[in-house]
Amino acid sequence: MAKEKGRKLIAQNKKARHDYHILDTYEAGLVLTGTEVKSLRQGRASLVDGFVQLDGHEAWLHNVHVPEYSQGTWTNHSARRKRKLLLHRIEIDKLEAKSQETGHTIVPLALYFKDGRAKIEIALARGKKEYDKRQTLREKQDRREAEKVISAVRRKQRA
């Protein structure tokens, strides 16, 4: 069997980018069981309620939903168990120091396979206020409208 190359996205947490200001991102490995890997290979996971907690120089991923493997037997995993993250000690120390500050948290952004290994992109984030969310949506809408106008002008020039 040929080894996988590249990055295959499994799940993304779009809500995190809406609810938080992303300050810094890290890539971490995951400690998984066999049935979890098989379930992820089917492209099934949800990061919506997920968060990272640091306990005694270890990082743990909580509330990420990886559904049970359909062909699994009694060895199947529980869907929302906590999973250990594989990070370097320096990265864990940085995250621990920064997350102690008021309003900072660590959230998962994306779950993917990179060269056949399950990885998760986590971010140090600060919560947005309601007016920040509205401002972001307004900027996004303005950008879309500007792109529409530019493309319409380009179409007229070609015709």
Side-chain angles (χ1 to χ4, degrees), residues 82-93:
K82 71 178 191 176
R83 296 164 181 90
K84 188 174 181 179
L85 296 180
L86 303 173
L87 288 162
H88 291 282
R89 172 61 54 88
I90 295 167
E91 293 173 330
I92 292 174
D93 291 341

Side-chain angles (χ1 to χ4, degrees), residues 122-146:
I122 59 174
L124 180 67
R126 187 179 63 241
K128 283 185 182 178
K129 304 283 188 223
E130 196 62 38
Y131 58 84
D132 288 334
K133 294 177 190 178
R134 285 194 298 266
Q135 180 67 26
T136 304
L137 288 174
R138 195 174 303 117
E139 288 171 359
K140 195 174 185 180
Q141 187 178 3
D142 291 345
R143 224 177 301 117
R144 258 194 223 126
E145 288 174 3

Side-chain angles (χ1 to χ4, degrees), residues 8-159:
K8 179 188 170 204
L9 187 66
I10 299 165
Q12 223 176 355
N13 190 355
K14 293 180 181 178
K15 187 177 178 190
R17 294 196 186 273
H18 175 72
D19 290 343
Y20 298 99
H21 290 287
I22 306 301
L23 304 175
D24 202 4
T25 60
Y26 297 89
E27 181 181 68
L30 283 162
V31 176
L32 300 171
T33 63
T35 55
E36 286 176 316
V37 175
K38 289 183 177 222
S39 184
L40 288 176
R41 291 216 184 271
Q42 291 178 339
R44 301 165 55 204
S46 173
L47 301 173
V48 174
D49 297 329
F51 64 96
V52 176
Q53 192 172 33
L54 301 170
D55 298 336
H57 300 296
E58 290 183 339
W60 294 90
L61 183 65
H62 293 269
N63 280 356
V64 170
H65 186 265
V66 177
E68 289 186 352
Y69 181 55
S70 55
Q71 278 82 40
T73 58
W74 56 272
T75 59
N76 232 336
H77 63 281
S78 72
R80 288 201 183 266
R81 75 177 188 93
K82 71 178 191 176
R83 296 164 181 90
K84 188 174 181 179
L85 296 180
L86 303 173
L87 288 162
H88 291 282
R89 172 61 54 88
I90 295 167
E91 293 173 330
I92 292 174
D93 291 341
K94 282 181 187 175
L95 283 170
E96 200 164 17
K98 294 278 188 172
S99 67
Q100 297 298 325
E101 296 176 20
T102 307
H104 289 78
T105 187
I106 307 167
V107 293
L109 296 178
L111 183 62
Y112 53 91
F113 281 107
K114 182 177 178 184
D115 297 333
R117 300 192 185 269
K119 303 282 184 183
I120 190 160
E121 183 180 18
I122 59 174
L124 180 67
R126 187 179 63 241
K128 283 185 182 178
K129 304 283 188 223
E130 196 62 38
Y131 58 84
D132 288 334
K133 294 177 190 178
R134 285 194 298 266
Q135 180 67 26
T136 304
L137 288 174
R138 195 174 303 117
E139 288 171 359
K140 195 174 185 180
Q141 187 178 3
D142 291 345
R143 224 177 301 117
R144 258 194 223 126
E145 288 174 3
E147 287 173 4
K148 279 184 185 179
V149 170
I150 291 170
S151 65
V153 168
R154 286 184 181 157
R155 265 187 263 123
K156 279 185 177 180
Q157 288 176 351
R158 278 190 241 140

